[in-house]
Amino acid sequence: MELVDILKNKKVKVTEIQKWGAYLRQQWESKFANHISHEEKKSIYLYDDRIACGYLWHVFSWEKRDYLKEKKAEKEFNNELKNTCYVFYQHSDYALILENASRFTADDLSNEEDVYVVDKELNWTYVKTHEIECGPYFSRL
């Protein structure tokens, strides 16, 4: 079942937005990786100017920001009060705005990869990566 269908079945209001991914990735980076220099971001492959890719979640896997990992991250995300939040992806401009998202859980993301969830103010994030040994991660500013 697709994520949108899962959320709608949980009575979460879902708004699909085709062009917000780049904007949300930039906002995420400015909040969760703002303490890292441009050169350091390149050294941890946060992005790679040559090939226009990388992974924002490297800020966690390279231990550049405090985080919870695996079951602790899932538990924290599940317990987080979620009213309005955003869901976006590393390599896509597709994004979702979720409202009334209190029933949204980590299990809902079981078929997703390189997906980021943030609250409306970007005070916390939950990230599920494509690498089994990396994450999921939860971090709060």
Side-chain angles (χ1 to χ4, degrees), residues 58-67:
H58 282 178
V59 74
F60 303 126
S61 62
W62 287 76
E63 312 245 339
K64 301 298 182 184
R65 174 164 288 288
D66 291 338
Y67 61 88

Side-chain angles (χ1 to χ4, degrees), residues 50-105:
R50 295 166 297 143
I51 56 176
C53 77
Y55 295 95
L56 295 173
W57 56 261
H58 282 178
V59 74
F60 303 126
S61 62
W62 287 76
E63 312 245 339
K64 301 298 182 184
R65 174 164 288 288
D66 291 338
Y67 61 88
L68 298 174
K69 187 176 175 184
E70 298 168 342
K71 294 294 181 195
K72 289 180 181 178
E74 291 174 355
K75 182 178 179 185
E76 193 71 19
F77 176 67
N78 291 343
N79 291 334
E80 187 64 42
L81 296 175
K82 295 178 283 294
N83 184 26
T84 301
C85 53
Y86 303 114
V87 177
F88 61 98
Y89 297 84
Q90 184 68 57
H91 300 294
S92 171
D93 284 338
Y94 177 76
L96 303 171
I97 300 172
L98 308 182
E99 296 175 73
N100 189 29
S102 61
R103 297 178 67 200
F104 179 28
T105 67

Side-chain angles (χ1 to χ4, degrees), residues 17 41 47 55 63 108 121:
I17 300 177
K41 288 176 184 178
Y47 48 76
Y55 295 95
E63 312 245 339
D108 299 334
E121 293 80 26

